Short mmCIF file of all heavy atoms in Angstrom, two decimals:
data_model
loop_
_atom_site.label_atom_id
_atom_site.label_comp_id
_atom_site.label_asym_id
_atom_site.label_seq_id
_atom_site.Cartn_x
_atom_site.Cartn_y
_atom_site.Cartn_z
N HIS A 1 -50.23 15.21 106.63
CA HIS A 1 -50.86 14.55 105.49
C HIS A 1 -51.89 15.51 104.90
O HIS A 1 -52.83 15.91 105.58
CB HIS A 1 -51.49 13.25 105.96
CG HIS A 1 -51.88 12.34 104.85
ND1 HIS A 1 -53.16 12.32 104.35
CD2 HIS A 1 -51.19 11.43 104.16
CE1 HIS A 1 -53.22 11.41 103.39
NE2 HIS A 1 -52.03 10.87 103.27
N LEU A 2 -51.72 15.85 103.65
CA LEU A 2 -52.60 16.83 103.01
C LEU A 2 -54.07 16.45 103.07
O LEU A 2 -54.92 17.28 103.39
CB LEU A 2 -52.20 17.02 101.55
CG LEU A 2 -50.96 17.85 101.26
CD1 LEU A 2 -50.71 17.90 99.76
CD2 LEU A 2 -51.09 19.24 101.82
N LEU A 3 -54.39 15.22 102.75
CA LEU A 3 -55.80 14.81 102.69
C LEU A 3 -56.46 14.73 104.06
O LEU A 3 -57.65 14.95 104.18
CB LEU A 3 -55.92 13.46 101.98
CG LEU A 3 -55.72 13.50 100.47
CD1 LEU A 3 -55.50 12.09 99.92
CD2 LEU A 3 -56.92 14.15 99.79
N SER A 4 -55.70 14.42 105.09
CA SER A 4 -56.27 14.29 106.43
C SER A 4 -56.70 15.63 107.02
O SER A 4 -57.58 15.67 107.87
CB SER A 4 -55.26 13.65 107.37
OG SER A 4 -54.94 12.35 106.95
N ASP A 5 -56.06 16.71 106.56
CA ASP A 5 -56.31 18.01 107.16
C ASP A 5 -57.00 19.01 106.23
O ASP A 5 -57.39 20.08 106.68
CB ASP A 5 -54.98 18.64 107.61
CG ASP A 5 -54.29 17.81 108.67
OD1 ASP A 5 -54.98 17.18 109.48
OD2 ASP A 5 -53.04 17.78 108.68
N ASN A 6 -57.11 18.69 104.95
CA ASN A 6 -57.58 19.67 103.96
C ASN A 6 -58.50 19.05 102.92
O ASN A 6 -58.59 17.83 102.80
CB ASN A 6 -56.37 20.25 103.19
CG ASN A 6 -55.34 20.84 104.08
OD1 ASN A 6 -55.53 21.92 104.61
ND2 ASN A 6 -54.24 20.13 104.26
N ILE A 7 -59.13 19.92 102.16
CA ILE A 7 -59.75 19.52 100.90
C ILE A 7 -58.71 19.80 99.83
O ILE A 7 -58.14 20.88 99.77
CB ILE A 7 -61.04 20.31 100.63
CG1 ILE A 7 -62.08 19.99 101.69
CG2 ILE A 7 -61.57 20.00 99.23
CD1 ILE A 7 -63.34 20.83 101.61
N VAL A 8 -58.43 18.79 99.02
CA VAL A 8 -57.37 18.87 98.03
C VAL A 8 -57.97 18.68 96.65
O VAL A 8 -58.78 17.77 96.43
CB VAL A 8 -56.29 17.80 98.30
CG1 VAL A 8 -55.20 17.84 97.26
CG2 VAL A 8 -55.70 17.98 99.69
N GLN A 9 -57.58 19.54 95.72
CA GLN A 9 -58.00 19.39 94.33
C GLN A 9 -56.96 18.49 93.66
O GLN A 9 -55.77 18.83 93.62
CB GLN A 9 -58.06 20.75 93.64
CG GLN A 9 -58.62 20.68 92.25
CD GLN A 9 -58.69 22.06 91.62
OE1 GLN A 9 -57.67 22.68 91.37
NE2 GLN A 9 -59.90 22.53 91.40
N ILE A 10 -57.40 17.34 93.16
CA ILE A 10 -56.50 16.38 92.55
C ILE A 10 -56.79 16.31 91.05
O ILE A 10 -57.92 16.06 90.64
CB ILE A 10 -56.67 14.98 93.17
CG1 ILE A 10 -56.45 15.05 94.69
CG2 ILE A 10 -55.70 13.99 92.53
CD1 ILE A 10 -56.76 13.77 95.42
N ASP A 11 -55.76 16.55 90.25
CA ASP A 11 -55.84 16.46 88.80
C ASP A 11 -55.21 15.13 88.41
O ASP A 11 -54.06 14.86 88.77
CB ASP A 11 -55.06 17.64 88.19
CG ASP A 11 -55.16 17.71 86.68
OD1 ASP A 11 -55.88 16.89 86.08
OD2 ASP A 11 -54.50 18.60 86.10
N PHE A 12 -55.98 14.27 87.73
CA PHE A 12 -55.46 12.94 87.40
C PHE A 12 -56.05 12.44 86.09
O PHE A 12 -57.02 13.00 85.57
CB PHE A 12 -55.75 11.95 88.53
CG PHE A 12 -57.21 11.68 88.77
CD1 PHE A 12 -57.80 10.52 88.28
CD2 PHE A 12 -57.99 12.56 89.50
CE1 PHE A 12 -59.15 10.26 88.50
CE2 PHE A 12 -59.33 12.30 89.73
CZ PHE A 12 -59.91 11.16 89.22
N THR A 13 -55.44 11.39 85.56
CA THR A 13 -55.94 10.73 84.36
C THR A 13 -56.69 9.48 84.78
O THR A 13 -56.16 8.62 85.49
CB THR A 13 -54.76 10.35 83.43
OG1 THR A 13 -54.01 11.52 83.12
CG2 THR A 13 -55.27 9.73 82.14
N LYS A 14 -57.94 9.38 84.35
CA LYS A 14 -58.77 8.22 84.67
C LYS A 14 -58.29 7.01 83.87
O LYS A 14 -57.53 7.13 82.92
CB LYS A 14 -60.24 8.52 84.34
CG LYS A 14 -60.83 9.58 85.24
CD LYS A 14 -62.21 10.03 84.86
CE LYS A 14 -63.15 8.97 84.41
NZ LYS A 14 -64.52 9.44 84.21
N ALA A 15 -58.76 5.84 84.25
CA ALA A 15 -58.37 4.60 83.57
C ALA A 15 -58.73 4.61 82.10
O ALA A 15 -58.05 3.99 81.28
CB ALA A 15 -59.00 3.40 84.27
N ASP A 16 -59.78 5.36 81.73
CA ASP A 16 -60.18 5.41 80.32
C ASP A 16 -59.38 6.43 79.51
O ASP A 16 -59.63 6.64 78.34
CB ASP A 16 -61.68 5.68 80.19
CG ASP A 16 -62.10 7.07 80.66
OD1 ASP A 16 -61.23 7.89 81.01
OD2 ASP A 16 -63.32 7.34 80.67
N GLY A 17 -58.41 7.09 80.17
CA GLY A 17 -57.54 8.03 79.48
C GLY A 17 -57.97 9.48 79.54
O GLY A 17 -57.23 10.36 79.11
N THR A 18 -59.17 9.76 80.07
CA THR A 18 -59.63 11.15 80.17
C THR A 18 -59.08 11.79 81.44
O THR A 18 -58.82 11.11 82.43
CB THR A 18 -61.18 11.23 80.16
OG1 THR A 18 -61.68 10.48 81.27
CG2 THR A 18 -61.76 10.70 78.87
N ASN A 19 -58.91 13.10 81.39
CA ASN A 19 -58.43 13.83 82.57
C ASN A 19 -59.61 14.24 83.43
O ASN A 19 -60.69 14.51 82.92
CB ASN A 19 -57.64 15.06 82.16
CG ASN A 19 -56.25 14.70 81.68
OD1 ASN A 19 -55.82 13.56 81.77
ND2 ASN A 19 -55.55 15.67 81.15
N ARG A 20 -59.36 14.30 84.73
CA ARG A 20 -60.41 14.66 85.68
C ARG A 20 -59.81 15.47 86.80
O ARG A 20 -58.66 15.25 87.19
CB ARG A 20 -61.05 13.40 86.24
CG ARG A 20 -62.00 13.66 87.38
CD ARG A 20 -63.25 12.83 87.25
NE ARG A 20 -64.23 13.31 88.19
CZ ARG A 20 -64.59 12.67 89.29
NH1 ARG A 20 -64.07 11.51 89.59
NH2 ARG A 20 -65.49 13.18 90.09
N ILE A 21 -60.57 16.39 87.33
CA ILE A 21 -60.20 17.13 88.53
C ILE A 21 -61.24 16.81 89.60
O ILE A 21 -62.44 16.91 89.36
CB ILE A 21 -60.15 18.65 88.26
CG1 ILE A 21 -59.04 18.96 87.27
CG2 ILE A 21 -59.94 19.41 89.57
CD1 ILE A 21 -58.97 20.40 86.83
N MET A 22 -60.75 16.36 90.76
CA MET A 22 -61.64 15.96 91.84
C MET A 22 -61.25 16.68 93.12
O MET A 22 -60.07 16.78 93.43
CB MET A 22 -61.54 14.45 92.08
CG MET A 22 -62.42 13.98 93.21
SD MET A 22 -62.12 12.27 93.77
CE MET A 22 -61.94 11.36 92.28
N ASN A 23 -62.23 17.18 93.85
CA ASN A 23 -62.02 17.70 95.19
C ASN A 23 -62.17 16.53 96.15
O ASN A 23 -63.21 15.87 96.16
CB ASN A 23 -63.01 18.80 95.52
CG ASN A 23 -62.80 20.02 94.67
OD1 ASN A 23 -61.67 20.48 94.51
ND2 ASN A 23 -63.85 20.55 94.09
N ALA A 24 -61.12 16.26 96.92
CA ALA A 24 -61.11 15.08 97.78
C ALA A 24 -60.55 15.42 99.15
O ALA A 24 -59.84 16.41 99.32
CB ALA A 24 -60.27 13.99 97.14
N THR A 25 -60.87 14.56 100.12
CA THR A 25 -60.37 14.75 101.48
C THR A 25 -60.40 13.42 102.23
O THR A 25 -61.01 12.45 101.77
CB THR A 25 -61.22 15.79 102.25
OG1 THR A 25 -60.53 16.13 103.46
CG2 THR A 25 -62.62 15.30 102.56
N LEU A 26 -59.75 13.42 103.38
CA LEU A 26 -59.88 12.34 104.37
C LEU A 26 -60.15 12.94 105.75
O LEU A 26 -59.92 12.29 106.77
CB LEU A 26 -58.61 11.47 104.39
CG LEU A 26 -58.38 10.60 103.17
CD1 LEU A 26 -57.05 9.87 103.27
CD2 LEU A 26 -59.52 9.61 102.96
N ARG A 27 -60.64 14.19 105.77
CA ARG A 27 -60.97 14.86 107.03
C ARG A 27 -62.09 14.10 107.74
O ARG A 27 -63.13 13.83 107.17
CB ARG A 27 -61.41 16.30 106.78
CG ARG A 27 -60.27 17.22 106.50
CD ARG A 27 -60.69 18.63 106.21
NE ARG A 27 -61.91 19.06 106.90
CZ ARG A 27 -62.48 20.24 106.71
NH1 ARG A 27 -61.96 21.12 105.88
NH2 ARG A 27 -63.58 20.56 107.35
N ASN A 28 -61.86 13.79 109.00
CA ASN A 28 -62.84 13.01 109.78
C ASN A 28 -64.20 13.70 109.89
O ASN A 28 -65.22 13.02 109.99
CB ASN A 28 -62.30 12.72 111.18
CG ASN A 28 -61.26 11.63 111.16
OD1 ASN A 28 -61.30 10.73 110.33
ND2 ASN A 28 -60.31 11.71 112.07
N ASP A 29 -64.22 15.02 109.85
CA ASP A 29 -65.49 15.73 109.98
C ASP A 29 -66.29 15.76 108.68
O ASP A 29 -67.41 16.24 108.66
CB ASP A 29 -65.27 17.15 110.49
CG ASP A 29 -64.47 18.02 109.53
OD1 ASP A 29 -63.57 17.50 108.84
OD2 ASP A 29 -64.73 19.24 109.46
N MET A 30 -65.72 15.21 107.59
CA MET A 30 -66.41 15.25 106.31
C MET A 30 -66.74 13.87 105.73
O MET A 30 -67.61 13.76 104.89
CB MET A 30 -65.56 16.02 105.28
CG MET A 30 -65.38 17.49 105.64
SD MET A 30 -64.52 18.39 104.36
CE MET A 30 -65.84 18.57 103.15
N ILE A 31 -66.03 12.85 106.17
CA ILE A 31 -66.21 11.52 105.56
C ILE A 31 -67.26 10.70 106.29
O ILE A 31 -67.62 10.97 107.43
CB ILE A 31 -64.88 10.74 105.52
CG1 ILE A 31 -64.36 10.45 106.93
CG2 ILE A 31 -63.83 11.50 104.71
CD1 ILE A 31 -63.14 9.55 106.97
N VAL A 32 -67.75 9.70 105.60
CA VAL A 32 -68.69 8.73 106.15
C VAL A 32 -67.96 7.39 106.16
O VAL A 32 -67.28 7.06 105.19
CB VAL A 32 -69.96 8.64 105.26
CG1 VAL A 32 -70.87 7.54 105.74
CG2 VAL A 32 -70.67 9.97 105.23
N PRO A 33 -68.04 6.63 107.25
CA PRO A 33 -67.35 5.33 107.27
C PRO A 33 -67.74 4.47 106.07
O PRO A 33 -68.90 4.47 105.64
CB PRO A 33 -67.82 4.69 108.57
CG PRO A 33 -68.23 5.85 109.43
CD PRO A 33 -68.77 6.88 108.48
N TYR A 34 -66.76 3.75 105.53
CA TYR A 34 -67.00 2.89 104.37
C TYR A 34 -67.95 1.76 104.74
O TYR A 34 -67.81 1.13 105.78
CB TYR A 34 -65.68 2.30 103.86
CG TYR A 34 -65.88 1.36 102.71
CD1 TYR A 34 -66.18 1.84 101.44
CD2 TYR A 34 -65.79 -0.01 102.88
CE1 TYR A 34 -66.38 0.99 100.38
CE2 TYR A 34 -65.99 -0.88 101.83
CZ TYR A 34 -66.28 -0.38 100.58
OH TYR A 34 -66.48 -1.22 99.53
N GLU A 35 -68.93 1.54 103.90
CA GLU A 35 -69.89 0.46 104.10
C GLU A 35 -69.93 -0.39 102.83
O GLU A 35 -70.28 0.09 101.76
CB GLU A 35 -71.29 1.03 104.36
CG GLU A 35 -72.33 -0.01 104.63
CD GLU A 35 -73.68 0.61 104.89
OE1 GLU A 35 -73.75 1.61 105.63
OE2 GLU A 35 -74.67 0.09 104.34
N ARG A 36 -69.55 -1.64 102.96
CA ARG A 36 -69.53 -2.55 101.83
C ARG A 36 -70.97 -2.84 101.40
O ARG A 36 -71.81 -3.22 102.22
CB ARG A 36 -68.81 -3.83 102.20
CG ARG A 36 -68.58 -4.72 101.04
CD ARG A 36 -67.80 -5.95 101.46
NE ARG A 36 -67.40 -6.62 100.26
CZ ARG A 36 -66.17 -6.81 99.89
NH1 ARG A 36 -65.19 -6.43 100.65
NH2 ARG A 36 -65.90 -7.42 98.76
N LYS A 37 -71.27 -2.67 100.10
CA LYS A 37 -72.64 -2.82 99.61
C LYS A 37 -72.85 -4.09 98.79
O LYS A 37 -73.99 -4.45 98.51
CB LYS A 37 -73.04 -1.60 98.79
CG LYS A 37 -73.08 -0.35 99.66
CD LYS A 37 -73.47 0.86 98.89
CE LYS A 37 -73.46 2.06 99.81
NZ LYS A 37 -73.65 3.31 99.15
N THR A 38 -71.77 -4.75 98.39
CA THR A 38 -71.89 -5.98 97.61
C THR A 38 -70.92 -7.02 98.16
O THR A 38 -70.04 -6.71 98.97
CB THR A 38 -71.55 -5.74 96.12
OG1 THR A 38 -70.16 -5.45 96.01
CG2 THR A 38 -72.38 -4.64 95.52
N ASN A 39 -71.08 -8.24 97.70
CA ASN A 39 -70.18 -9.32 98.11
C ASN A 39 -69.11 -9.60 97.07
O ASN A 39 -68.35 -10.54 97.20
CB ASN A 39 -70.98 -10.61 98.35
CG ASN A 39 -71.81 -10.50 99.61
OD1 ASN A 39 -71.44 -9.81 100.55
ND2 ASN A 39 -72.94 -11.18 99.62
N ARG A 40 -69.05 -8.76 96.02
CA ARG A 40 -68.07 -9.03 94.96
C ARG A 40 -66.66 -8.84 95.48
O ARG A 40 -66.40 -8.01 96.35
CB ARG A 40 -68.34 -8.16 93.74
CG ARG A 40 -67.81 -6.78 93.84
CD ARG A 40 -68.15 -6.00 92.58
NE ARG A 40 -68.20 -4.60 92.94
CZ ARG A 40 -67.35 -3.69 92.50
NH1 ARG A 40 -66.46 -4.00 91.61
NH2 ARG A 40 -67.42 -2.45 92.92
N GLU A 41 -65.77 -9.64 94.94
CA GLU A 41 -64.37 -9.54 95.31
C GLU A 41 -63.73 -8.38 94.58
O GLU A 41 -63.93 -8.21 93.38
CB GLU A 41 -63.63 -10.83 94.94
CG GLU A 41 -63.85 -11.95 95.91
CD GLU A 41 -63.29 -11.66 97.29
OE1 GLU A 41 -62.13 -11.23 97.40
OE2 GLU A 41 -64.03 -11.87 98.26
N LYS A 42 -62.98 -7.59 95.30
CA LYS A 42 -62.30 -6.46 94.71
C LYS A 42 -60.81 -6.79 94.62
O LYS A 42 -60.21 -7.21 95.60
CB LYS A 42 -62.52 -5.22 95.58
CG LYS A 42 -62.54 -3.95 94.82
CD LYS A 42 -62.98 -2.82 95.71
CE LYS A 42 -63.19 -1.62 94.83
NZ LYS A 42 -63.37 -0.41 95.57
N VAL A 43 -60.24 -6.59 93.45
CA VAL A 43 -58.81 -6.83 93.28
C VAL A 43 -58.06 -5.66 93.92
O VAL A 43 -58.29 -4.51 93.58
CB VAL A 43 -58.45 -6.94 91.78
CG1 VAL A 43 -56.96 -7.12 91.60
CG2 VAL A 43 -59.23 -8.07 91.14
N GLU A 44 -57.21 -5.97 94.86
CA GLU A 44 -56.47 -4.92 95.56
C GLU A 44 -55.34 -4.41 94.68
O GLU A 44 -54.62 -5.18 94.06
CB GLU A 44 -55.90 -5.45 96.87
CG GLU A 44 -55.35 -4.35 97.73
CD GLU A 44 -55.08 -4.82 99.14
OE1 GLU A 44 -55.86 -5.63 99.66
OE2 GLU A 44 -54.08 -4.35 99.71
N ASN A 45 -55.23 -3.10 94.60
CA ASN A 45 -54.18 -2.46 93.83
C ASN A 45 -53.42 -1.53 94.77
O ASN A 45 -53.98 -0.55 95.25
CB ASN A 45 -54.79 -1.68 92.66
CG ASN A 45 -53.73 -1.06 91.77
OD1 ASN A 45 -52.60 -0.86 92.17
ND2 ASN A 45 -54.11 -0.76 90.56
N PRO A 46 -52.14 -1.82 95.04
CA PRO A 46 -51.40 -1.01 96.02
C PRO A 46 -51.17 0.43 95.59
O PRO A 46 -50.83 1.27 96.41
CB PRO A 46 -50.07 -1.76 96.17
CG PRO A 46 -49.95 -2.61 94.96
CD PRO A 46 -51.35 -2.90 94.50
N THR A 47 -51.38 0.75 94.32
CA THR A 47 -51.20 2.14 93.87
C THR A 47 -52.48 2.95 93.99
O THR A 47 -52.46 4.17 93.75
CB THR A 47 -50.68 2.20 92.42
OG1 THR A 47 -51.63 1.62 91.55
CG2 THR A 47 -49.34 1.50 92.29
N ASN A 48 -53.61 2.33 94.33
CA ASN A 48 -54.87 3.06 94.49
C ASN A 48 -54.96 3.71 95.86
O ASN A 48 -54.57 3.12 96.86
CB ASN A 48 -56.07 2.15 94.28
CG ASN A 48 -56.35 1.91 92.81
OD1 ASN A 48 -55.69 2.46 91.95
ND2 ASN A 48 -57.33 1.08 92.53
N ILE A 49 -55.51 4.93 95.86
CA ILE A 49 -55.72 5.68 97.10
C ILE A 49 -57.22 5.88 97.25
O ILE A 49 -57.87 6.38 96.34
CB ILE A 49 -55.03 7.06 97.03
CG1 ILE A 49 -53.53 6.91 96.78
CG2 ILE A 49 -55.30 7.86 98.29
CD1 ILE A 49 -52.86 8.21 96.43
N ALA A 50 -57.77 5.49 98.39
CA ALA A 50 -59.18 5.73 98.68
C ALA A 50 -59.32 7.13 99.27
O ALA A 50 -58.61 7.49 100.21
CB ALA A 50 -59.72 4.69 99.65
N VAL A 51 -60.23 7.93 98.69
CA VAL A 51 -60.48 9.29 99.16
C VAL A 51 -61.98 9.54 99.20
O VAL A 51 -62.75 8.86 98.55
CB VAL A 51 -59.80 10.36 98.25
CG1 VAL A 51 -58.29 10.20 98.26
CG2 VAL A 51 -60.34 10.30 96.84
N TRP A 52 -62.37 10.54 99.98
CA TRP A 52 -63.76 10.97 100.00
C TRP A 52 -63.92 12.03 98.91
O TRP A 52 -63.28 13.08 98.96
CB TRP A 52 -64.14 11.53 101.35
CG TRP A 52 -65.57 11.93 101.44
CD1 TRP A 52 -66.09 13.18 101.37
CD2 TRP A 52 -66.69 11.04 101.58
NE1 TRP A 52 -67.45 13.14 101.46
CE2 TRP A 52 -67.85 11.83 101.60
CE3 TRP A 52 -66.82 9.66 101.69
CZ2 TRP A 52 -69.12 11.29 101.72
CZ3 TRP A 52 -68.08 9.13 101.82
CH2 TRP A 52 -69.22 9.93 101.83
N GLY A 53 -64.75 11.75 97.90
CA GLY A 53 -65.03 12.71 96.85
C GLY A 53 -66.00 13.75 97.38
O GLY A 53 -67.17 13.44 97.63
N VAL A 54 -65.54 14.98 97.57
CA VAL A 54 -66.34 16.03 98.20
C VAL A 54 -67.56 16.36 97.34
O VAL A 54 -68.68 16.47 97.86
CB VAL A 54 -65.48 17.29 98.45
CG1 VAL A 54 -66.32 18.44 98.96
CG2 VAL A 54 -64.34 16.97 99.41
N ASP A 55 -67.38 16.51 96.05
CA ASP A 55 -68.50 16.87 95.17
C ASP A 55 -69.48 15.72 94.98
O ASP A 55 -70.69 15.93 94.90
CB ASP A 55 -67.97 17.37 93.82
CG ASP A 55 -67.07 18.58 93.99
OD1 ASP A 55 -67.35 19.42 94.87
OD2 ASP A 55 -66.09 18.70 93.23
N ALA A 56 -68.97 14.49 94.92
CA ALA A 56 -69.83 13.31 94.74
C ALA A 56 -70.43 12.85 96.06
O ALA A 56 -71.37 12.06 96.09
CB ALA A 56 -69.04 12.18 94.10
N ASP A 57 -69.84 13.31 97.19
CA ASP A 57 -70.28 12.92 98.52
C ASP A 57 -70.26 11.41 98.69
O ASP A 57 -71.19 10.81 99.21
CB ASP A 57 -71.67 13.50 98.80
CG ASP A 57 -71.95 13.65 100.29
OD1 ASP A 57 -70.98 13.87 101.04
OD2 ASP A 57 -73.11 13.55 100.69
N SER A 58 -69.14 10.80 98.23
CA SER A 58 -68.98 9.34 98.35
C SER A 58 -67.51 8.97 98.21
O SER A 58 -66.69 9.77 97.80
CB SER A 58 -69.81 8.62 97.28
OG SER A 58 -69.33 8.92 96.00
N TRP A 59 -67.21 7.72 98.55
CA TRP A 59 -65.85 7.21 98.45
C TRP A 59 -65.47 7.03 96.98
O TRP A 59 -66.28 6.57 96.18
CB TRP A 59 -65.70 5.89 99.20
CG TRP A 59 -65.70 6.09 100.68
CD1 TRP A 59 -66.73 5.85 101.54
CD2 TRP A 59 -64.63 6.59 101.47
NE1 TRP A 59 -66.37 6.18 102.81
CE2 TRP A 59 -65.07 6.64 102.80
CE3 TRP A 59 -63.34 7.03 101.18
CZ2 TRP A 59 -64.26 7.08 103.84
CZ3 TRP A 59 -62.53 7.47 102.21
CH2 TRP A 59 -62.99 7.49 103.52
N ARG A 60 -64.23 7.39 96.66
CA ARG A 60 -63.66 7.25 95.32
C ARG A 60 -62.25 6.70 95.46
O ARG A 60 -61.65 6.77 96.53
CB ARG A 60 -63.58 8.61 94.61
CG ARG A 60 -64.92 9.28 94.43
CD ARG A 60 -65.68 8.55 93.34
NE ARG A 60 -66.88 9.27 92.99
CZ ARG A 60 -68.06 8.71 92.90
NH1 ARG A 60 -68.22 7.44 93.18
NH2 ARG A 60 -69.11 9.41 92.53
N SER A 61 -61.73 6.15 94.37
CA SER A 61 -60.32 5.71 94.39
C SER A 61 -59.59 6.35 93.22
O SER A 61 -60.16 6.57 92.16
CB SER A 61 -60.21 4.19 94.36
OG SER A 61 -60.67 3.69 93.14
N ILE A 62 -58.33 6.65 93.47
CA ILE A 62 -57.47 7.27 92.46
C ILE A 62 -56.19 6.46 92.41
O ILE A 62 -55.61 6.12 93.44
CB ILE A 62 -57.13 8.73 92.84
CG1 ILE A 62 -58.40 9.56 92.95
CG2 ILE A 62 -56.16 9.34 91.85
CD1 ILE A 62 -58.16 10.95 93.51
N ASN A 63 -55.73 6.18 91.19
CA ASN A 63 -54.45 5.52 91.01
C ASN A 63 -53.35 6.57 91.19
O ASN A 63 -53.27 7.53 90.43
CB ASN A 63 -54.37 4.87 89.63
CG ASN A 63 -53.12 4.06 89.45
OD1 ASN A 63 -52.05 4.42 89.90
ND2 ASN A 63 -53.26 2.94 88.76
N ALA A 64 -52.50 6.40 92.20
CA ALA A 64 -51.46 7.37 92.51
C ALA A 64 -50.51 7.61 91.34
O ALA A 64 -49.97 8.70 91.19
CB ALA A 64 -50.68 6.92 93.74
N GLU A 65 -50.33 6.61 90.51
CA GLU A 65 -49.43 6.75 89.37
C GLU A 65 -50.00 7.64 88.28
O GLU A 65 -49.28 8.06 87.38
CB GLU A 65 -49.08 5.38 88.79
CG GLU A 65 -48.28 4.52 89.77
CD GLU A 65 -48.04 3.13 89.27
OE1 GLU A 65 -48.73 2.68 88.32
OE2 GLU A 65 -47.16 2.45 89.84
N ARG A 66 -51.28 7.93 88.34
CA ARG A 66 -51.95 8.76 87.32
C ARG A 66 -52.22 10.19 87.78
O ARG A 66 -52.87 10.95 87.06
CB ARG A 66 -53.25 8.08 86.90
CG ARG A 66 -53.04 6.75 86.22
CD ARG A 66 -54.38 6.10 85.89
NE ARG A 66 -54.20 4.92 85.08
CZ ARG A 66 -54.29 4.92 83.75
NH1 ARG A 66 -54.55 6.01 83.10
NH2 ARG A 66 -54.13 3.81 83.07
N ILE A 67 -51.74 10.55 88.96
CA ILE A 67 -51.94 11.91 89.46
C ILE A 67 -51.01 12.87 88.73
O ILE A 67 -49.80 12.64 88.63
CB ILE A 67 -51.71 11.98 90.99
CG1 ILE A 67 -52.79 11.18 91.70
CG2 ILE A 67 -51.70 13.43 91.46
CD1 ILE A 67 -52.60 11.06 93.20
N ILE A 68 -51.61 13.94 88.20
CA ILE A 68 -50.86 14.96 87.47
C ILE A 68 -50.44 16.09 88.43
O ILE A 68 -49.34 16.62 88.35
CB ILE A 68 -51.72 15.53 86.31
CG1 ILE A 68 -52.05 14.40 85.33
CG2 ILE A 68 -51.02 16.69 85.63
CD1 ILE A 68 -53.16 14.74 84.37
N GLY A 69 -51.33 16.46 89.35
CA GLY A 69 -51.01 17.52 90.29
C GLY A 69 -52.04 17.60 91.39
O GLY A 69 -53.14 17.07 91.29
N VAL A 70 -51.67 18.27 92.49
CA VAL A 70 -52.56 18.49 93.62
C VAL A 70 -52.45 19.94 94.07
O VAL A 70 -51.40 20.57 93.93
CB VAL A 70 -52.28 17.56 94.82
CG1 VAL A 70 -52.51 16.11 94.45
CG2 VAL A 70 -50.87 17.75 95.34
N GLN A 71 -53.56 20.45 94.61
CA GLN A 71 -53.57 21.81 95.13
C GLN A 71 -54.50 21.86 96.33
O GLN A 71 -55.65 21.42 96.24
CB GLN A 71 -54.06 22.78 94.04
CG GLN A 71 -54.08 24.22 94.47
CD GLN A 71 -54.51 25.14 93.34
OE1 GLN A 71 -54.89 24.69 92.26
NE2 GLN A 71 -54.44 26.42 93.59
N VAL A 72 -54.01 22.39 97.44
CA VAL A 72 -54.83 22.52 98.65
C VAL A 72 -55.85 23.63 98.41
O VAL A 72 -55.51 24.70 97.92
CB VAL A 72 -53.95 22.84 99.88
CG1 VAL A 72 -54.83 23.10 101.10
CG2 VAL A 72 -52.98 21.71 100.14
N GLN A 73 -57.10 23.36 98.75
CA GLN A 73 -58.18 24.34 98.58
C GLN A 73 -58.30 25.26 99.76
O GLN A 73 -58.11 24.91 100.85
CB GLN A 73 -59.51 23.63 98.33
CG GLN A 73 -59.50 22.81 97.07
CD GLN A 73 -59.33 23.65 95.83
OE1 GLN A 73 -60.17 24.48 95.52
NE2 GLN A 73 -58.24 23.48 95.14
#
């Protein structure tokens, strides 16, 4: 699994239509366990992928259907 072992540069289209490049990973030595901060209900979307945003130093989600390309760093 690319994300579990590497930092991956993901090129994708955001929900607002703009393009974004994010460095992301799921490496255990880099992530922080998810901590729920609110009680709001989140609508589950099976096409969303939760990743650790390396540059933002926080959890992010990406819609798999909007990924343009990936590159291992």
